[in-house]
Amino acid sequence: MDSAEYERKIASRFAAFDQDGNGYIDREDFSGAAAALLAEFSTTARSDKGQALYSGAEAFWQGLAGIADVDGDQRVTKPEFVTGAVKRLRDNPERFAEIARPFLHAVVAIADEDGKGVKPSAAERVLRVLGVPPETASQVAAALDADADGRISEDEILSAFAAYYVTPAPDA
């Protein structure tokens, strides 16, 4: 895949982070996503899980801003996202997973209702809250359960997350 095609495909991932649709990614997009997830799973912000989610969201924001916020204005524009964040991570999706790990770990703790792994139905709820269309969320959640055991591990989620955001699928 050539560089221009890669950039176009990755630029389409930008909207998932720009939760409020204002044209840039900022701290409020991450805290807003955390608040929406807490509401979806009836978890209070002051609980340990709620605090972990907000801390994870802040860490994720800081990691993304550290890589992509080239002008230091505490906002990541689409060009910054494509050139600053994703190009640097294209050959190292594991680095992106590490930036996202605290947030995703906290999401898993909230969505894993019985401590045995996230059920595809809970993963689907998370995806819908984060702006994924319902039909896509259902398909993605089912695909995350690669071994069809009815549970999705944190490692499976991290790998899939990193691959989606920094490694475009052939049909993406």
Side-chain angles (χ1 to χ4, degrees):
M1 173 179 302
D2 70 27
S3 183
E5 178 70 5
Y6 175 77
E7 287 181 23
R8 184 189 67 75
K9 290 181 183 216
I10 292 303
S12 70
R13 294 349 189 224
F14 177 84
F17 282 109
D18 182 15
Q19 291 281 300
D20 57 15
N22 63 2
Y24 54 85
I25 304 165
D26 61 9
R27 177 177 278 112
E28 286 74 29
D29 291 311
F30 287 83
S31 61
L37 287 165
L38 291 174
E40 175 68 23
F41 288 91
S42 301
T43 304
T44 62
R46 292 186 180 209
S47 69
D48 289 344
K49 288 181 179 183
Q51 290 298 299
L53 186 61
Y54 277 112
S55 293
E58 178 63 19
F60 193 3
W61 160 246
Q62 290 294 328
L64 181 62
I67 290 172
D69 185 16
V70 177
D71 61 11
D73 66 354
Q74 294 296 300
R75 299 186 309 184
V76 176
T77 63
K78 188 182 283 188
E80 285 176 322
F81 181 75
V82 172
T83 60
V86 181
K87 274 189 170 181
R88 292 182 191 169
L89 301 172
R90 181 178 187 175
D91 296 324
N92 190 1
E94 295 79 22
R95 184 169 175 217
F96 193 65
E98 288 308 310
I99 292 167
R101 183 180 294 277
F103 178 70
L104 294 176
H105 178 76
V107 170
V108 167
I110 289 168
D112 183 354
E113 299 164 316
D114 60 8
K116 297 179 182 177
V118 177
K119 294 179 184 176
S121 59
E124 182 178 346
R125 289 170 60 196
V126 168
L127 291 166
R128 284 194 325 258
V129 166
L130 296 178
V132 176
E135 61 282 352
T136 303
S138 177
Q139 293 170 354
V140 170
L144 286 172
D145 184 15
D147 60 5
D149 68 351
R151 304 295 175 150
I152 306 165
S153 73
E154 184 173 328
D155 287 339
E156 289 172 315
I157 291 168
L158 276 167
S159 295
F161 183 85
Y164 177 77
Y165 281 102
V166 300
T167 308
D171 61 343

